[in-house]
Amino acid sequence: AVNYKQGKTKMNAKRMRAFLCAVAALPAALSPDLAMTASPSQTSEWILSSKTVSGLQLKWVTETAGDVTATPAVENGSVYAPDTAGYLYKFDAATGAIIWSRPIADYTGIPGDYATATPAIAGDALILGNNSGTFLGPGFGQSTQQPARVFAVNKHTGEPLWVTQVDNTTFSYVSSSVAVVDGKAIVG
């Protein structure tokens, strides 16, 4: 996924951004340069190289309220990603249609909260951290800074599952993706 519109860094929920999805045109069986690999979080993924990148084609474009800066999480025909306007989305991987979207603030209880990391997929849950510790404060139209939180969302419905504060420092935030190992969410 790429954001083709660059420019202003000021967050504005009314400004729309495009979320683009590109896919490899040929399956691995037809292209020996396009190998498959396995990892704990992905059953398979395409490896891109200078020989295979020309096979990418635009699959779909979907409008989001803010920039999608995280690498999307993809599983079983669904794509999950947060945007900088403070929403978490579930897209249909085949069409780009938004299946559900919900403000990060609904999960953390912090007005204007947002997330910028890739959600971890663990069973029926999406797990990610927030960025409220980066707020500039009321003088800039944002809430005051809040300690970092990690939260889980039902990946099918977008409903909140749980939230926990992971640091007492007011300016803390979670900028990396959560790793899930042996049923534990690990964040650094």
Side-chain angles (χ1 to χ4, degrees):
V2 295
N3 177 6
Y4 72 92
K5 296 181 183 177
Q6 299 294 326
K8 297 180 183 177
T9 57
K10 180 180 176 187
M11 289 190 322
N12 182 342
K14 293 180 182 169
R15 183 181 60 189
M16 299 301 281
R17 292 291 184 214
F19 177 59
L20 307 175
C21 179
V23 295
L26 299 174
L30 300 177
S31 175
D33 294 325
L34 205 53
M36 301 289 279
T37 62
S39 69
S41 63
Q42 300 282 15
T43 54
S44 64
E45 57 187 41
W46 299 103
I47 295 178
L48 297 176
S49 71
S50 58
K51 293 178 183 177
T52 61
V53 73
S54 63
L56 292 177
Q57 296 178 355
L58 181 64
K59 177 130 180 165
W60 48 260
V61 177
T62 298
E63 297 293 327
T64 57
D67 296 327
V68 174
T69 60
T71 300
V74 181
E75 181 187 61
N76 297 328
S78 297
V79 176
Y80 306 93
D83 74 7
T84 56
Y87 288 87
L88 179 60
Y89 296 88
K90 177 180 181 178
F91 305 95
D92 181 289
T95 66
I98 296 173
I99 297 170
W100 55 256
S101 68
R102 191 158 180 170
I104 299 294
D106 284 1
Y107 305 120
T108 64
I110 302 169
D113 206 357
Y114 67 105
T116 56
T118 301
I121 301 172
D124 288 335
L126 301 176
I127 305 172
L128 61 163
N130 72 333
N131 287 63
S132 64
T134 63
F135 285 171
L136 298 174
F140 292 89
Q142 297 176 325
S143 298
T144 57
Q145 295 84 4
Q146 300 287 321
R149 288 166 174 73
V150 171
F151 58 95
V153 174
N154 181 302
K155 71 180 183 184
H156 304 288
T157 65
E159 292 297 314
L161 296 174
W162 53 261
V163 62
T164 188
Q165 184 174 313
V166 293
D167 194 306
N168 291 326
T169 309
T170 303
F171 296 102
S172 60
Y173 59 96
V174 180
S175 62
S176 62
S177 298
V178 174
V180 178
V181 179
D182 295 329
K184 295 180 178 115
I186 302 168
V187 64

